């Protein structure tokens, strides 16, 4: 039998769970302690549970001998492990041979029950009530379907990539909801998992609103917030102020970037809604999932293909209004979503392609490889105003999957800072200077700066004056200025991780891939990086690393598909 000490991927916490199980019941067979350790490891990898019936796809499997694998796959309820009817025990084993810690089992069941309750309540409603496509002649058919669905049902999941018209769809949904409400005053909440995403959906709605008819400005939500703030986050607690006993007062709750919602937050949101409140979730099921356990939004969209009742609540937007079907970048994004590596690679060879593959630069020649790229930041230093400098941030971005090393955010930031400084003729001792992009790394509600907000350090060219940090604001305060010493925790943002880039868009994206095979390279990460670009992508890497990423699809174990199909 394999011991937990034989598996180098396990942490001290993972191994201590095996010791805890043995301490609770010395008569427990050793595979129960091993199973607890593996379940802890699985949760750290983003899974909701450990799938004992599918161990061959687990990266720990090579360390397990055949006796251990057989024992794990034939695990039975015990004094520590309960069945689905013995939920008082710390570990739950389901009929599908999935092993949960009680906390995750509890939240998944509450989430599934809340969704089923909403589906059953709306099950008799006619989606074609008073429907005619002429009412939505400015919309694509899928957008019209989403608007009609949200008008009739009290829960709708809308999935679509950048450029598929999610913002326009939401505005039409709001117009229909307010029209249907008549003189009744509706309370609408607009939220997202992160402060950066919340700010972006607010900006997008305000910008798109000016181009659309049939919606009065007074109907637009005036404030957006993180989901934690909406639900009433309580310090050092997994409980929120708003729950089933004290629900949110809102009649409509719209959540953007729903693919970033983890199991706990998704469950808490559903339980905090009034029974008759309308929930509209927007996201892209092909993007990176949440940092914590689960890929709930994607699982529900996938399950809807096999569940007629759930499918009434799910709409996928496929028409891209930004990139034409003949655009190489659009073709690469579609092929990446489908897992077709050969088609993605073919797009690199087309004349005037909007996506290009460049040979991977060796460490010693990195400075010369990125010297031209540094000119983008020189232009930001020479911008005529803070607003001009901030606008230039959106023109280009460097993304990487890695945090550490020469090809990670830390190494690239040091390199590009040096190239930027040298291009301006500044001394090596100059660490802060005009034109440097910075990113906030913690939420600060006092300054209204949030984790992921990107700004710029700026002072007027040819003038001697203090250096300030500038960030995009709103219509009342378009540009916000802060002394550098007053900023929340922050760091340089010449390069961003792909995770940090979610919710943002740029004219050009430069994607730096690892030089060797890496488990962090996945289809979802590659697609997310590509879809950050409005016009062009340059990939630094090899055909092999691109192929590895596209062929490595992220799968997170949960019981949603088992229960909802």
């Amino acid at each position: 039998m394999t011991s937990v000490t034989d598996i180098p991927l396990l942490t001290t916490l993972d191994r201590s769970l095996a010791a805890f199980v043995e301490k609770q019941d010395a008569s427990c067979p050793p595979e129960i302690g091993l199973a607890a350790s593996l379940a802890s490891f699985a949760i750290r990898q983003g899974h909701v549970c450990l799938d004992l019936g599918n161990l061959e796809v687990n990266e720990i499997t090579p360390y397990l001998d055949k006796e251990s694998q057989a024992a794990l796959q034939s695990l039975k309820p015990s004094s520590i492990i309960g069945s689905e009817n013995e939920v008082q025990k710390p570990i739950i084993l389901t009929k599908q041979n999935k092993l949960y810690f009680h906390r995750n089992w509890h939240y998944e069941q509450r989430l599934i029950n809340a969704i089923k309750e909403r589906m059953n309540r709306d099950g008799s409603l006619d989606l074609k009530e008073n429907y005619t496509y002429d009412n939505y002649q400015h919309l694509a058919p899928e957008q019209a379907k989403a608007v009609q669905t949200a008008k009739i049902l009290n829960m709708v999941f809308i999935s679509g990539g950048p450029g598929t018209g999610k913002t326009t769809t939401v505005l039409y949904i709001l117009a229909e909801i307010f029209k249907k409400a008549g003189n009744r005053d509706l309370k609408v909440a607009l939220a997202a998992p992160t402060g950066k995403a919340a700010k972006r959906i607010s900006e997008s709605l305000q910008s798109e609103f000016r181009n659309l008819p049939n919606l009065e400005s007074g109907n637009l939500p005036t404030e957006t917030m993180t989901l934690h703030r909406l639900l009433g986050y309580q310090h050092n607690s997994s409980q929120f102020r708003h729950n089933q006993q004290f629900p949110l007062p809102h009649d409509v709750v719209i959540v953007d970037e729903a693919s970033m919602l983890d199991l706990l937050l998704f469950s808490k949101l559903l339980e905090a809604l009034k029974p008759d409140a309308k929930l509209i979730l927007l996201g892209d099921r092909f993007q990176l999932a949440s940092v914590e356990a689960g890929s709930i939004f994607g699982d529900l969209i996938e399950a809807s293909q096999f569940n007629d009742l759930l499918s009434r609540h799910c709409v996928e937007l496929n028409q891209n209004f930004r990139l034409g079907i003949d655009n190489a970048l659009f073709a690469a994004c579609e092929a990446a979503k489908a897992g077709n590596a050969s088609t993605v690679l073919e797009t690199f060879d087309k004349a005037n392609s909007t996506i290009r593959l460049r040979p991977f630069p060796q460490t010693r020649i990195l400075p010369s490889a990125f010297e031209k790229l540094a000119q983008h930041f020189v232009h930001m230093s020479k911008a005529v105003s803070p607003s001009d400098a901030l606008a230039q941030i959106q023109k280009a971005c460097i993304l990487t999957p890695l945090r550490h090393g020469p090809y990670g955010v830390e190494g690239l930031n040091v390199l590009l800072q040096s190239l930027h400084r040298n291009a301006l003729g500044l001394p090596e001792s100059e660490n802060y200077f005009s034109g440097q992009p910075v990113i906030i790394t913690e939420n600060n509600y006092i300054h209204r700066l949030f984790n992921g907000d990107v700004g710029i350090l700026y002072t007027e060219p040819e003038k001697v004056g203090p250096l300030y940090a500038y960030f995009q604001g709103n219509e009342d305060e378009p540009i916000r200025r802060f002394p550098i010493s007053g900023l929340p925790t922050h760091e340089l943002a010449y390069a961003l991780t792909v995770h940090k880039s979610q919710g943002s868009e740029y004219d050009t994206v430069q994607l730096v891939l690892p030089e060797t095979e890496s488990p962090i390279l996945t289809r979802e990460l590659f697609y997310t990086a590509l879809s950050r670009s409005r016009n062009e992508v340059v990939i630094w890497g090899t055909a092999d690393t691109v192929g590895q990423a596209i062929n490595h699809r992220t799968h997170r174990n949960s019981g949603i598909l088992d229960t909802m199909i």
Side-chain angles (χ1 to χ4, degrees):
M1 174 70 68
T2 303
S3 168
V4 293
T5 58
D6 298 329
I7 305 175
L9 298 179
L10 296 180
T11 64
T12 301
L13 174 62
D14 300 332
R15 295 189 180 105
S16 67
L17 284 166
F20 171 79
V21 166
E22 292 167 5
K23 185 176 180 180
Q24 295 299 305
D25 186 350
S27 65
C28 275
E31 60 265 26
I32 292 182
L34 177 61
S37 294
L38 297 187
S40 175
F41 172 82
I43 290 171
R44 286 194 294 104
Q45 303 307 303
H47 300 286
V48 174
C49 58
L50 174 66
D51 189 352
L52 295 172
N54 199 20
L55 283 174
E56 61 269 16
V57 300
N58 195 306
E59 59 189 290
I60 276 183
T61 303
Y63 299 99
L64 300 174
D65 58 32
K66 290 185 178 180
E67 178 190 359
S68 300
Q69 292 186 47
L72 287 168
Q73 290 174 336
S74 58
L75 208 62
K76 296 288 187 291
S78 67
S79 59
I80 301 293
I81 298 177
S83 67
E84 296 172 58
N85 298 318
E86 300 175 292
V87 294
Q88 74 279 8
K89 294 186 177 178
I91 301 175
I92 306 296
L93 180 64
T94 70
K95 296 172 184 175
Q96 290 80 25
N97 219 17
K98 291 182 177 176
L99 196 71
Y100 290 78
F101 286 123
H102 183 272
R103 180 176 183 266
N104 278 6
W105 164 257
H106 177 64
Y107 282 124
E108 186 177 272
Q109 291 305 300
R110 286 163 59 177
L111 179 144
I112 290 170
N113 289 338
I115 289 175
K116 284 185 173 180
E117 187 177 333
R118 283 186 164 263
M119 289 195 306
N120 292 331
R121 193 183 305 133
D122 289 348
S124 61
L125 298 177
D126 181 10
L127 283 178
K128 295 184 179 179
E129 177 188 337
N130 299 325
Y131 175 75
T132 169
Y133 182 62
D134 292 340
N135 295 342
Y136 313 115
Q137 55 185 312
H138 301 294
L139 302 177
E142 296 96 341
Q143 290 178 297
K145 178 184 176 184
V147 174
Q148 180 70 7
T149 301
K151 176 183 173 182
I152 303 297
L153 305 183
N154 278 336
M155 177 178 69
V156 59
F157 306 98
I158 303 171
S159 177
T164 56
K166 293 193 294 291
T167 303
T168 301
T169 302
V170 168
L171 285 171
Y172 271 89
I173 286 172
L174 286 172
E176 288 295 329
I177 289 173
F178 281 108
K179 189 188 301 180
K180 188 176 180 180
N183 295 325
R184 188 161 63 94
D185 187 25
L186 292 183
K187 196 170 179 62
V188 179
L190 192 60
T194 67
K196 175 184 176 181
K199 183 187 291 186
R200 176 162 175 77
I201 183 62
S202 175
E203 292 169 352
S204 298
L205 285 174
Q206 292 289 347
S207 174
E208 191 71 16
F209 162 75
R210 301 184 186 95
N211 304 320
L212 297 175
N214 305 323
L215 185 66
E216 297 178 9
S217 60
N219 292 338
L220 281 178
T222 56
E223 183 183 16
T224 59
M225 61 189 81
T226 64
L227 270 173
H228 283 80
R229 189 178 175 198
L230 174 69
L231 295 174
Y233 170 73
Q234 300 183 84
H235 188 60
N236 289 333
S237 172
S238 63
Q239 303 304 315
F240 292 92
R241 188 163 63 92
H242 291 287
N243 50 40
Q244 210 163 17
Q245 288 71 44
F246 183 52
L248 291 164
H250 303 89
D251 304 290
V252 182
V253 175
I254 300 171
V255 180
D256 194 24
E257 297 291 349
S259 62
M260 298 169 68
L261 290 177
D262 59 54
L263 172 64
L264 185 148
L265 198 55
F266 214 130
S267 174
K268 297 287 188 182
L269 169 64
L270 286 166
E271 291 191 336
L273 298 171
K274 296 188 298 184
D276 60 346
K278 194 178 290 290
L279 175 65
I280 300 161
L281 291 157
L282 309 164
D284 184 349
R285 71 181 179 106
F286 295 102
Q287 277 191 29
L288 286 164
S290 61
V291 174
E292 301 297 331
S295 54
I296 312 303
F297 184 78
D299 285 349
L300 289 168
I301 298 291
E302 185 176 349
S304 72
Q305 299 173 38
F306 311 97
N307 183 319
D308 291 340
L309 195 56
L310 179 59
S311 69
R312 285 163 46 87
H313 297 263
C314 299
V315 182
E316 291 203 65
L317 307 180
N318 297 310
Q319 182 175 338
N320 196 297
F321 299 96
R322 184 179 303 153
L323 302 173
I325 58 174
D326 295 327
N327 184 285
L329 178 55
F330 173 75
C333 286
E334 292 300 298
K337 289 192 297 185
N340 193 332
S342 60
T343 301
V344 172
L345 294 172
E346 286 171 8
T347 63
F348 300 150
D349 299 325
K350 293 182 178 179
N352 302 316
S353 178
T354 50
I355 179 168
R356 301 193 302 277
L357 181 67
R358 288 183 175 170
F360 197 89
Q362 297 300 312
T363 308
R364 60 184 174 78
I365 63 168
L366 265 178
S368 59
F370 287 105
E371 202 163 19
K372 185 176 180 181
L373 189 58
Q375 290 303 310
H376 166 64
F377 302 105
V378 173
H379 292 317
M380 287 159 60
S381 298
K382 296 179 178 180
V384 297
S385 66
S387 59
D388 181 36
L390 285 168
Q392 291 193 43
I393 288 180
Q394 306 302 317
K395 290 184 178 180
C397 182
I398 302 161
L399 301 181
T400 171
L402 305 175
R403 178 75 192 167
H404 308 292
Y407 306 108
V409 164
E410 292 175 356
L412 290 172
N413 273 333
V414 170
L415 169 66
L416 287 159
Q417 180 190 36
S418 176
L419 292 172
H420 186 185
R421 182 169 47 214
N422 292 342
L424 293 174
L426 298 174
E428 289 294 319
S429 59
E430 199 86 31
N431 289 320
Y432 289 103
F433 47 89
S434 186
Q436 285 183 301
V438 292
I439 184 170
I440 302 299
T441 57
E442 68 175 8
N443 291 336
N444 186 301
Y445 291 102
I446 295 174
H447 291 321
R448 289 180 289 119
L449 289 173
F450 302 102
N451 185 5
D453 282 352
V454 175
I456 193 164
L457 305 186
Y458 180 81
T459 189
E460 287 189 49
E462 312 301 331
K463 289 190 178 181
V464 177
L467 193 64
Y468 287 98
Y470 293 86
F471 292 82
Q472 290 285 3
N474 51 34
E475 287 190 339
D476 297 329
E477 187 185 11
I479 304 295
R480 306 181 64 223
R481 189 181 80 171
F482 300 89
I484 298 174
S485 60
L487 285 180
T489 306
H490 61 280
E491 60 187 40
L492 293 175
Y494 289 101
L496 301 175
T497 62
V498 178
H499 279 83
K500 283 285 188 185
S501 74
Q502 284 184 277
S504 299
E505 293 177 6
Y506 307 90
D507 291 343
T508 299
V509 166
Q510 305 252 355
L511 174 62
V512 182
L513 296 177
E515 59 180 329
T516 58
E517 188 171 320
S518 170
I520 201 170
L521 269 183
T522 66
R523 182 186 305 176
E524 291 77 11
L525 182 140
F526 186 78
Y527 165 74
T528 300
L530 260 59
S531 60
R532 297 310 88 209
S533 174
R534 289 185 283 253
N535 299 322
E536 180 184 37
V537 173
V538 176
I539 300 170
W540 295 85
T542 66
D544 286 343
T545 52
V546 170
Q548 180 216 334
I550 294 170
N551 291 325
H552 181 196
R553 184 185 178 193
T554 301
H555 173 73
R556 290 189 167 181
N557 294 322
S558 77
I560 289 178
L561 291 176
D562 298 330
T563 311
M564 302 300 291
I565 293 179

